Amino acid sequence: MADSVRAEEKLEGVLGDKKINSKTHNSSLPTRLAVRKTNKEKKVKDPNKPKRPSSAFFVFMEGFRKQYKEKHPNNKSVAVVGKAGGDKWKSLSDEEKAPFVAKAEKRKEEYERKMEDYNKKLAGDADDESDKSKSEVNDDEEDNEGSGEEEDDE
């Protein structure tokens, strides 16, 4: 009994104000964080899939980064450049943003064409595989039917 009280006091010292019932607490069980890490599945990305296009802001930032680095060559902070770019973007009028928006739209249309081609290619590969499997299934059925007829004749 005294050992369980000491263990509970140690846990309270580590966890602060959080109370743990020694009867219900099982230290061998994984924590929530550990469970989430083990259950998380990694998605496999297709290297042939087209990349999503940049938004108008990121199109603007491509040129802004170069200008900012020319004016501030000693600046090494990415955050400072991003903050300055965001402030500049907010201060631009709609007419000043128009070329960046147009360029982003053009990239989006190009991306959509590439995605259509990519999806057609994927669908074509899936159709080829399904045709092969269908023909193999039909061949097996024809072989079984032929052997079944021979057995009936005998």
Side-chain angles (χ1 to χ4, degrees):
M1 180 77 171
D3 290 335
S4 66
V5 172
R6 287 185 192 147
E8 192 171 332
E9 288 173 358
K10 287 182 183 178
L11 284 174
E12 285 180 17
V14 172
L15 298 175
D17 294 337
K18 295 182 180 178
K19 296 284 183 178
I20 294 180
N21 185 350
S22 61
K23 294 178 183 176
T24 60
H25 178 69
N26 186 353
S27 61
S28 65
L29 293 175
T31 62
R32 264 187 174 172
L33 185 60
V35 171
R36 285 185 183 164
K37 284 184 179 180
T38 56
N39 288 340
K40 189 174 183 179
E41 294 181 13
K42 205 171 197 181
K43 292 183 180 179
V44 179
K45 294 184 180 180
D46 185 358
N48 298 326
K49 185 175 182 180
K51 292 185 179 183
R52 292 175 58 194
S54 302
S55 67
F57 172 71
F58 285 104
V59 172
F60 162 76
M61 284 300 291
E62 291 171 3
F64 181 81
R65 280 188 199 94
K66 293 175 187 172
Q67 293 173 355
Y68 192 85
K69 285 186 180 185
E70 288 173 2
K71 292 179 182 176
H72 306 90
N74 295 331
N75 181 33
K76 303 290 183 190
S77 175
V78 175
V80 171
V81 177
K83 177 95 170 136
D87 293 340
K88 176 74 173 175
W89 179 256
K90 287 178 186 176
S91 68
L92 293 177
S93 67
D94 289 341
E95 295 84 30
E96 293 171 323
K97 292 180 182 180
F100 305 110
V101 172
K103 194 170 186 179
E105 286 294 322
K106 184 178 177 183
R107 289 183 181 182
K108 185 177 180 181
E109 290 170 5
E110 184 179 322
Y111 166 76
E112 288 173 353
R113 282 195 306 271
K114 287 181 181 179
M115 279 302 294
E116 286 177 12
D117 293 341
Y118 173 77
N119 289 332
K120 286 179 186 176
K121 187 183 288 187
L122 283 183
D125 290 345
D127 288 342
D128 292 343
E129 291 176 9
S130 61
D131 289 342
K132 289 179 184 177
S133 62
K134 287 178 185 176
S135 65
E136 290 173 1
V137 171
N138 290 337
D139 290 343
D140 291 341
E141 289 175 1
E142 290 172 3
D143 292 342
N144 290 340
E145 288 174 3
S147 62
E149 290 175 7
E150 291 174 6
E151 290 175 9
D152 290 338
D153 292 336
E154 292 176 8

